[in-house]
């Protein structure tokens, strides 16, 4: 199946309120253009340099999503144009995004990454850290970032009950904080292998790569 056909099939299966981020990491500008020509505008990358190169080469109405782990010293390279930063996992990173966004006269939309997988290796805040950060004066005082939701990744497993339980946990965190931050509107959860479960559990944004573009050559 072609990229266009894959994209159409997935889009038809998504409820209307779900935003599809096409994860184009490792894929060429020509491959991205196939999805673009089929109407796709949201693309996700996980490396700053690679996203910069693609931003320069591709149409300006693409909305670029940084979905990978972001280092503070790289923030300045994407802040001028990035549409949404999914993986914010510390207050210091958020403060750096705020500082650079102010320099650029922008308000940059961000998602806080929450650690929901039981695996050790995944980045993100846990419940307790969120309770420390979100009510803090430092967090509340950030005028150039808009924290509009949360992002999470489930454990890499075939155990669907476990994946569902982890997504449900993130949804409950989202619902909890939404009462205090009415601006929350985005729950980024679900990738090729688990987006159907994520949507059933309340996702509003899915990040899908290999089901659109085919397997990646390297990661
Ligand atoms: C690569 C990646 C995806 C997409 O993964 P697929 O399995 O190819 O759909 C989603 N989210 C993040 C954070 C990723 O790094």
């Amino acid at each position: 199946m072609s990229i266009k056909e894959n994209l159409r099939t997935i889009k038809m299966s998504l409820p209307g309120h779900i935003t599809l981020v096409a994860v184009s990491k490792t894929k060429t500008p020509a491959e991205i253009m196939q999805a673009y020509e089929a109407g796709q505008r949201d693309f996700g990358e996980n490396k700053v340099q690679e996203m910069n190169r693609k931003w320069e080469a591709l149409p300006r109405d693409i909305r670029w999503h940084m979905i990978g782990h972001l280092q503070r010293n790289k923030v300045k390279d994407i802040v001028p144009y990035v549409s949404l930063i999914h993986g914010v996992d510390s207050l210091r990173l958020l403060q750096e995004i705020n500082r650079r966004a102010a320099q650029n006269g922008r308000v940059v939309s961000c998602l806080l990454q929450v650690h929901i997988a039981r695996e050790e290796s995944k980045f993100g805040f846990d419940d307790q850290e969120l309770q420390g950060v979100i009510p803090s004066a430092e967090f509340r005082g950030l005028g150039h970032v808009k924290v509009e939701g949360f992002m999470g990744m489930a454990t890499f497993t075939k155990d669907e009950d476990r994946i569902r339980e982890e997504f449900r946990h993130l949804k409950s965190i989202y619902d909890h904080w939404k009462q205090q931050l009415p601006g929350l509107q985005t729950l980024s959860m679900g990738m090729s292998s688990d987006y159907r479960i994520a949507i059933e559990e309340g996702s509003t944004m899915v990040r899908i790569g290999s089901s659109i573009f085919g397997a990646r050559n390297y990661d």
Side-chain angles (χ1 to χ4, degrees):
M1 286 253 275
S2 72
I3 291 171
K4 279 185 188 176
E5 284 168 334
N6 290 340
L7 190 59
R8 270 196 210 107
T9 308
I10 289 170
K11 270 191 173 160
M12 275 187 336
S13 77
L14 295 180
H17 66 283
I18 305 283
T19 301
L20 170 62
V21 178
V23 176
S24 48
K25 63 193 187 198
T26 80
K27 299 299 169 180
T28 63
E31 288 170 304
I32 295 173
M33 279 310 291
Q34 290 181 44
Y36 180 89
E37 280 159 12
Q40 182 64 27
R41 291 296 180 272
D42 290 275
F43 291 90
E45 292 284 336
N46 68 342
K47 297 209 167 78
V48 166
Q49 266 198 329
E50 186 177 345
M51 190 165 86
N52 277 342
R53 270 190 274 112
K54 290 173 178 174
W55 171 70
E56 278 169 16
L58 289 162
R60 284 298 143 100
D61 62 343
I62 289 179
R63 292 181 289 273
W64 290 103
H65 296 246
M66 174 44 67
I67 63 169
H69 185 65
L70 181 60
Q71 290 172 319
R72 272 180 294 135
N73 63 357
K74 303 259 176 80
V75 166
K76 61 179 183 308
D77 299 331
I78 64 168
V79 150
Y81 69 90
V82 70
S83 182
L84 182 61
I85 301 176
H86 290 233
V88 178
D89 62 355
S90 73
L91 182 57
R92 287 181 78 197
L93 177 58
L94 203 56
Q95 287 168 324
E96 175 62 7
I97 297 167
N98 186 68
R99 188 169 81 86
R100 295 296 185 176
Q103 288 174 356
N104 281 270
R106 291 196 72 198
V107 175
V108 172
S109 292
C110 296
L111 305 178
L112 302 182
Q113 183 167 355
V114 183
H115 179 107
I116 52 170
R118 272 182 267 165
E119 291 161 332
E120 283 298 318
S121 60
K122 299 271 163 75
F123 296 105
F125 294 99
D126 62 25
D127 283 317
Q128 238 186 334
E129 289 167 339
L130 290 177
Q131 280 165 32
V133 167
I134 295 177
S136 70
E138 289 90 340
F139 181 87
R140 301 275 167 162
L142 300 173
H144 287 269
V145 293
K146 176 172 182 276
V147 174
E148 63 168 59
F150 298 106
M151 180 272 224
M153 289 164 84
T155 302
F156 186 70
T157 173
K158 286 203 169 75
D159 181 351
E160 296 202 348
D161 292 337
R162 180 161 166 191
I163 293 170
R164 186 177 297 282
E165 184 191 302
E166 291 172 356
F167 284 150
R168 197 169 286 178
H169 179 208
L170 183 52
K171 175 63 158 61
S172 75
I173 292 171
Y174 176 69
D175 289 341
H176 168 80
W177 288 109
K178 207 168 153 54
Q179 291 170 5
Q180 300 171 54
L181 304 171
L184 292 192
Q185 59 186 67
T186 304
L187 185 53
S188 169
M189 61 184 197
M191 32 209 273
S192 293
S193 58
D194 57 20
Y195 74 89
R196 293 173 190 85
I197 302 172
I199 290 170
E200 285 169 7
E201 297 304 329
S203 171
T204 71
M205 183 176 276
V206 293
R207 311 175 308 272
I208 300 182
S210 45
S211 292
I212 296 172
F213 293 104
R216 285 178 291 275
N217 299 328
Y218 57 97
D219 259 300

